[in-house]
Amino acid sequence: MGNEKVNAVKNIQHYVLENVHNPITLADLAKVSHYSLWYTAKIFKELTGKTIFDYIRLIRLTAAAKELRDTKSRVIDVAFDFVFDSHEGFTRAFAKEFNITPKVYQTSPIPLQYFTPYYVMDRNMKKGEKKMKEIKAVFIQILERPKRKAIIKRGIKATEYFEYCEEVGCDIWGVLCSIKEAIGEPIGMWISKKMQKEGTSLYIQGVEVPYEYNGAIPDGYEIIELPAAKFLVFQGEPYDDENFEEEVRNVMDFVTKYNPAVYGFEYDEDGYRFQYAPEGYRGYIEGRAIKQK
């Protein structure tokens, strides 16, 4: 696929996020993409798998769900804030998408399948077609975590992210992001043999919650205890999102070769390794459990 189409759709995605509280027409998006109305709609569906207005609806419903979860705003105000024509129309759309009414969700938030928008990229670019910049620095810090729990979903044989997506799907993040009591953002985890269940994967995804958590557990997920632990956290430099695979690999290679004895530690084989979702603006972040030598 050409860079021109990819850039056009990325521009549309940016425009939608920036105007989530404003009316958006196909003509507006055609101006952003610099293509005709028909071709704008065609390439958007081709690259994202969704029609433009299904995409906008999912973005708005997810943003509205987060506002209902985190504030005491009136449902009608949230409806109008996210450009729904009426309280009734918003309630119907919300209930159809999430199988719960906005009012009930606001009163008793449960894990939902939030929509996670991923920016499109040209995955067919030939290797070497674009010269990548070498990472100039990897920043390292020690992070301490208290005793806590994690809501997780296991795979079958996955040892890394792409295998996990093939086994479980790539929409896990939406559910994990919806958990109100979450400590920080969702993570991908390489768990130890000690934490692994027979017939399940070493790579899983989950989100940490307080040790006292007693809320709902989504179907197909489970909750596990995590002991207090220390981690070495590695963070690469910011990068262009379209280069994420190579940039992530560069940092991963650095981490593999790094010797934690510099800080007087060694990697804890009974602990786990985690990664945050790669985001170009902050660089790739990975953490590994450590213990005193």
Side-chain angles (χ1 to χ4, degrees):
M1 81 187 55
N3 278 341
E4 295 81 5
K5 291 199 312 190
V6 170
N7 289 336
V9 172
K10 283 172 73 173
N11 288 342
I12 292 170
Q13 290 178 297
H14 280 295
Y15 184 89
V16 169
L17 287 177
E18 290 172 358
N19 290 276
V20 68
H21 298 294
N22 302 317
I24 299 173
T25 67
L26 187 55
D28 294 329
L29 300 179
K31 288 178 185 176
V32 170
S33 72
H34 303 293
Y35 287 118
S36 69
L37 275 67
W38 175 83
Y39 196 66
T40 294
K42 178 179 183 296
I43 62 172
F44 191 89
K45 176 71 181 293
E46 176 187 335
L47 270 63
T48 68
K50 298 185 183 300
T51 68
I52 285 176
F53 291 104
D54 277 346
Y55 184 90
I56 293 171
R57 177 181 57 81
L58 289 169
I59 290 283
R60 285 181 169 153
L61 285 172
T62 293
K66 290 177 181 177
E67 184 162 328
L68 289 168
R69 181 193 67 185
D70 298 336
T71 73
K72 296 184 183 297
S73 299
R74 296 189 308 162
V75 172
I76 191 168
D77 292 335
V78 173
F80 290 146
D81 194 29
F82 289 99
V83 204
F84 286 87
D85 292 333
S86 66
H87 181 292
E88 293 75 15
F90 173 64
T91 296
R92 281 196 303 271
F94 193 97
K96 182 178 179 181
E97 183 61 32
F98 297 125
N99 293 316
I100 188 172
T101 66
K103 190 63 181 174
V104 171
Y105 178 66
Q106 185 177 47
T107 304
S108 303
I110 58 173
L112 298 180
Q113 181 63 67
Y114 283 176
F115 175 59
T116 306
Y118 295 104
Y119 286 114
V120 298
M121 60 188 68
D122 191 348
R123 301 301 300 275
N124 296 323
M125 185 181 290
K126 294 178 182 176
K127 252 185 174 176
E129 183 178 336
K130 185 169 181 179
K131 185 174 178 62
M132 307 294 180
K133 291 183 180 177
E134 301 222 349
I135 290 184
K136 295 175 183 160
V138 175
F139 304 95
I140 304 171
Q141 63 177 316
I142 296 175
L143 177 68
E144 293 194 42
R145 291 280 179 86
K147 186 177 177 182
R148 63 222 179 279
K149 292 181 180 177
I151 296 172
I152 64 167
K153 190 173 182 70
R154 300 181 190 268
I156 304 167
K157 296 180 180 179
T159 60
E160 47 86 28
Y161 171 78
F162 290 109
E163 292 175 356
Y164 182 86
C165 283
E166 287 179 5
E167 292 178 359
V168 180
C170 293
D171 56 357
I172 307 304
W173 232 244
V175 174
L176 298 174
C177 286
S178 77
I179 296 172
K180 184 175 182 178
E181 297 86 350
I183 302 172
E185 62 189 274
I187 52 177
M189 304 167 67
W190 290 268
I191 55 177
S192 66
K193 295 283 188 182
K194 188 176 180 180
M195 300 170 69
Q196 188 182 17
K197 282 185 176 179
E198 187 176 352
T200 64
S201 60
L202 281 172
Y203 184 89
I204 62 175
Q205 289 186 353
V207 69
E208 295 180 356
V209 293
Y211 188 76
E212 302 76 19
Y213 180 83
N214 60 1
I217 309 299
D219 290 342
Y221 293 70
E222 64 182 275
I223 190 162
I224 60 173
E225 293 188 10
L226 299 174
K230 287 183 179 179
F231 295 85
L232 272 183
V233 179
F234 303 84
Q235 182 170 5
E237 290 190 355
Y239 57 84
D240 291 335
D241 283 319
E242 64 184 22
N243 301 335
F244 87 95
E245 288 188 67
E246 180 156 342
E247 297 286 354
V248 167
R249 180 56 55 194
N250 286 342
V251 177
M252 284 180 139
D253 289 345
F254 174 91
V255 174
T256 299
K257 296 171 185 174
Y258 186 80
N259 183 1
V262 172
Y263 285 95
F265 295 102
E266 61 185 0
Y267 290 127
D268 185 354
E269 298 302 323
D270 289 332
Y272 65 89
R273 167 183 162 205
F274 70 86
Q275 64 179 178
Y276 290 131
E279 297 281 359
Y281 74 90
R282 66 183 179 186
Y284 173 66
I285 303 172
E286 180 176 315
R288 294 200 178 189
I290 53 174
K291 61 183 180 181
Q292 211 79 39
K293 276 182 70 70

